[in-house]
Amino acid sequence: FQSMVIGRAGTLRTKTEDSIKEALRNGDTNKAIQLAQEYNTKLSDRAIAWNEKYSQYANPIIQDMYDSEKITDNSLQRILDNLREGR
């Protein structure tokens, strides 16, 4: 799961977070939210495809891994806080 879904999504997440940072720097909160939603949709699509092939391996750890990769409101707040702190 990690290499097939999160591994590929990890690079996408990094790129998405960079785009979110840029949107927030420009004061465009709506764009940041849109980017997060688009990323989460792509992550979900990959997880669904994985589950169709490997559902016998699904377990709570896999669900936790998936949940931790989503960009949530808390993730967006963390990014915004980091920007405010100059990070």
Side-chain angles (χ1 to χ4, degrees):
F1 180 86
Q2 187 167 9
S3 63
M4 293 183 66
V5 176
I6 296 172
R8 287 185 258 158
T11 300
L12 177 61
R13 182 181 174 118
T14 300
K15 290 178 181 178
T16 301
E17 284 188 352
D18 289 345
S19 296
I20 288 171
K21 288 175 190 174
E22 187 63 30
L24 292 172
R25 278 188 202 102
N26 293 327
D28 195 345
T29 305
N30 290 333
K31 179 68 175 176
I33 292 168
Q34 176 189 351
L35 290 164
Q37 290 170 340
E38 290 170 359
Y39 166 82
N40 289 337
T41 298
K42 289 176 186 175
L43 180 67
S44 176
D45 290 347
R46 289 177 178 175
I48 289 167
W50 180 89
N51 195 50
E52 288 173 355
K53 291 182 181 179
Y54 306 105
S55 61
Q56 70 270 23
Y57 302 110
N59 60 53
I61 294 170
I62 298 292
Q63 183 65 46
D64 289 346
M65 291 168 64
Y66 168 75
D67 290 341
S68 72
E69 285 302 310
K70 292 190 287 188
I71 299 176
T72 63
D73 291 343
N74 288 338
S75 304
L76 290 172
Q77 187 61 52
R78 178 186 46 79
I79 293 168
L80 184 57
D81 291 345
N82 287 341
L83 286 173
R84 288 179 179 155
E85 294 173 6
R87 291 188 268 160

